[in-house]
Amino acid sequence: RSGVPGGMKDAQASFSRAIALKPNVGSYQERYGVACLRANDLASATVAFIAASKLSPHKAFPYQQLAVVFNRQGRVQDARDASKIAQDIAHDENLLKQAQNLSMVQPKNIGLLLVLGDRYRDLGLKAPARLQYERILELKPGHPEATKGLQLLGPIDEPQTP
């Protein structure tokens, strides 16, 4: 059905409804953007991928797609900029995956745990960051950088009760 122009419009409409129901879900914005791109609705695709990039700033995909859209629009410098951001994010993702894999092999490597904790904190992933800092403190109580990392995270977010 994806080869049928009407199918693209159906996909656009479906993802548009999904976005209306849950506008803060980056993956819905991405899927809508892809449907718009396939239907050659470049203006809507641009809006969707920009929204997705804001909702998920550490994902390469929206920036990769923005580069495609900008190229089609003749916005060469914008396409280059989006492509560069996508490459940087993909590189960071690969480094994080390597560090995660290495930490499984070397679970007591404090330097590696600290790198992971800091990276998770930078990504706004408080729970995994806290876990890494706490693992460091179990291995080396009072470790100053792990202690500082926990302080930077702030208190544990407690669920709100009515």
Side-chain angles (χ1 to χ4, degrees):
R1 191 171 168 147
S2 63
V4 179
M8 286 298 105
K9 293 295 179 188
D10 291 345
Q12 272 184 277
S14 294
F15 288 120
S16 180
R17 286 191 297 276
I19 288 170
L21 293 172
K22 296 200 177 203
N24 294 327
V25 177
S27 61
Y28 290 177
Q29 296 284 351
E30 290 176 4
R31 291 175 186 149
Y32 176 65
V34 168
C36 292
L37 187 58
R38 288 183 178 161
N40 207 33
D41 180 356
L42 301 181
S44 296
T46 301
V47 171
F49 290 128
I50 288 173
S53 71
K54 289 178 181 175
L55 292 168
S56 304
H58 302 292
K59 286 183 67 178
F61 184 76
Y63 294 101
Q64 292 166 336
Q65 296 306 302
L66 276 170
V68 171
V69 172
F70 292 152
N71 260 334
R72 285 192 189 175
Q73 292 173 329
R75 297 168 56 184
V76 178
Q77 188 57 51
D78 289 336
R80 283 186 191 130
D81 293 344
S83 180
K84 173 75 170 108
I85 292 169
Q87 288 173 349
D88 291 347
I89 291 171
H91 178 72
D92 287 348
E93 287 174 353
N94 286 335
L95 291 176
L96 179 59
K97 285 178 185 172
Q98 288 175 7
Q100 289 168 330
N101 291 336
L102 193 55
S103 75
M104 296 174 94
V105 176
Q106 300 179 22
K108 295 183 179 184
N109 183 324
I110 291 175
L112 187 55
L113 295 174
L114 189 59
V115 166
L116 283 172
D118 290 346
R119 184 64 184 136
Y120 289 139
R121 188 187 72 233
D122 292 344
L123 292 172
L125 302 171
K126 287 185 172 187
R130 186 173 308 283
L131 180 65
Q132 300 307 313
Y133 295 135
E134 288 172 351
R135 286 173 65 195
I136 293 168
L137 292 172
E138 287 173 11
L139 295 168
K140 189 172 181 182
H143 189 279
E145 292 174 73
T147 302
K148 181 181 177 188
L150 283 173
Q151 290 170 346
L152 291 172
L153 285 175
I156 295 174
D157 295 330
E158 295 294 330
Q160 299 296 318
T161 54

